[in-house]
Structures are given as structure tokens and as C-alpha cells.
């Protein structure tokens, strides 16, 4: 049975953001902690998004999905609201790359998008290989799209 439209979004390091209004709306200690994690060299995105997940109720009004939300709105405006949304995040085994993992961002987005946009609840899928390895990504995405039954899929 076809699911009609499916959106598959590769969650990157800029797909979850704190909005401009966060500075005045958040407790200064939390804002400082998030800023420190995000500005670390390299940024500790996994811990940053994990902290957002822990404080989700306090932060959700300030969260933004600056890339995925416009894509979803565009599909809805074109009369093609996705019946299925798949958010793909990384969870790498190599400790050197763990801080840049995006699976926690994907998990937060899976909560935020339906609340904010009234869309289908996204499914989070993990890529456990190096996202810079094209051959590994082709294999991972083959597995991800293998169970998609849709008239159209947007990646």
C-alpha cells in the first residue's frame, strides 16, 4: 500500500537551532551551557542536542528547524503533505566523531516538528558509519529507502 509522499531528511549540524528569541526567554545558566557546547572546537553537537532533549519543555518555544520546516511547509503548500517523514541522524562508533553526531538532533526534531507544524510524527533512523564515506552512505540509504512505499519520496 502506497504512503503517497515521503520526506527523507538527512539531519545535519544546522537542522536544529535555537531561535533569536532564546536569549531573553531562557534561564541564563542553560543558555550559557548550550552556547559553550555549541561553540566548542569541535562543537559537541551530541551533548548540545542531548541537553536540549533534557530541557525540551523549557526550550521548545525557542527551537527552530530552519531547513526541514520550510521544506515541509513547501510540500504542504504544493498539496503534497508527507504521510511519512524519516529523519536520518548519525551515531558513529569512532569516538573522534561522536561529538558531531546528529541523532540527538533528529530525536528532538521528531518531537518538535509535529507539535510545531502538525505534520506526521517523524521516524528517526540511524547511520552508524562515517557520513563522509560515500560507499557507506550509499549502503545505509539503500537500507533506509528499501522499506519506503510511496508515490514520491523527497530526499
Amino acid at each position: 500500500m502506497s504512503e503517497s509522499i515521503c520526506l527523507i531528511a538527512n539531519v545535519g549540524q544546522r537542522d536544529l537551532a535555537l531561535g533569536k528569541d532564546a536569549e531573553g526567554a531562557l534561564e541564563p545558566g542553560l543558555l550559557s551551557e548550550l552556547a559553550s557546547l555549541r561553540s566548542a572546537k569541535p562543537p559537541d553537537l551530541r551533548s548540545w542536542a542531548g541537553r536540549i532533549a533534557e530541557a525540551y519543555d523549557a526550550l521548545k518555544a525557542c527551537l527552530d528547524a530552519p531547513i526541514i520546516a520550510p521544506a515541509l511547509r513547501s510540500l504542504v503548500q504544493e498539496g503534497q503533505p508527507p504521510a511519512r517523514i524519516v529523519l536520518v541522524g548519525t551515531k558513529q562508533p569512532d569516538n573522534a566523531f561522536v561529538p558531531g553526531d546528529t541523532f540527538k538532533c533528529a530525536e528532538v526534531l521528531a518531537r518538535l516538528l509535529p507539535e510545531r507544524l502538525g505534520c506526521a510524527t517523524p521516524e528517526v533512523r540511524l547511520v552508524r558509519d562515517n557520513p563522509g564515506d560515500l560507499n557507506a552512505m550509499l549502503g545505509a540509504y539503500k537500507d533506509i529507502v528499501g522499506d519506503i512505499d510511496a508515490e514520491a519520496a523527497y530526499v
Side-chain angles (χ1 to χ4, degrees):
M1 173 188 240
S2 175
E3 297 170 355
S4 192
I5 305 296
C6 179
L7 174 67
I8 303 170
N10 186 54
V11 176
Q13 296 191 4
R14 291 185 176 83
D15 283 301
L16 177 64
L18 288 175
K20 295 179 178 124
D21 57 341
E23 192 167 327
L26 297 179
E27 184 266 316
L30 177 58
L31 188 62
S32 175
E33 179 184 359
L34 290 170
S36 175
L37 291 168
R38 189 71 176 169
S39 64
K41 300 292 182 210
D44 190 348
L45 191 66
R46 183 188 253 194
S47 297
W48 177 81
R51 186 64 182 103
I52 287 173
E54 290 170 5
Y56 181 79
D57 289 333
L59 292 168
K60 67 182 172 184
C62 301
L63 295 176
D64 190 19
I67 299 168
I68 298 170
L72 282 168
R73 285 189 197 104
S74 177
L75 288 169
V76 169
Q77 288 171 352
E78 293 171 9
Q80 300 184 66
R84 185 172 180 189
I85 301 167
V86 179
L87 302 176
V88 182
T90 57
K91 188 173 185 181
Q92 301 173 75
D94 187 335
N95 286 337
F97 299 110
V98 163
D101 279 338
T102 61
F103 78 96
K104 287 286 184 185
C105 292
E107 291 172 351
V108 171
L109 288 166
R111 290 181 69 182
L112 179 67
L113 294 171
E115 290 177 12
R116 183 77 50 84
L117 302 175
C119 63
T121 300
E123 165 191 350
V124 175
R125 299 285 296 268
L126 300 180
V127 169
R128 298 184 185 275
D129 295 308
N130 178 350
D133 180 345
L134 178 60
N135 290 327
M137 289 304 94
L138 289 173
Y141 269 84
K142 179 181 177 188
D143 293 341
I144 290 166
V145 300
D147 68 351
I148 304 286
D149 180 21
E151 293 172 18
Y154 296 93
V155 182

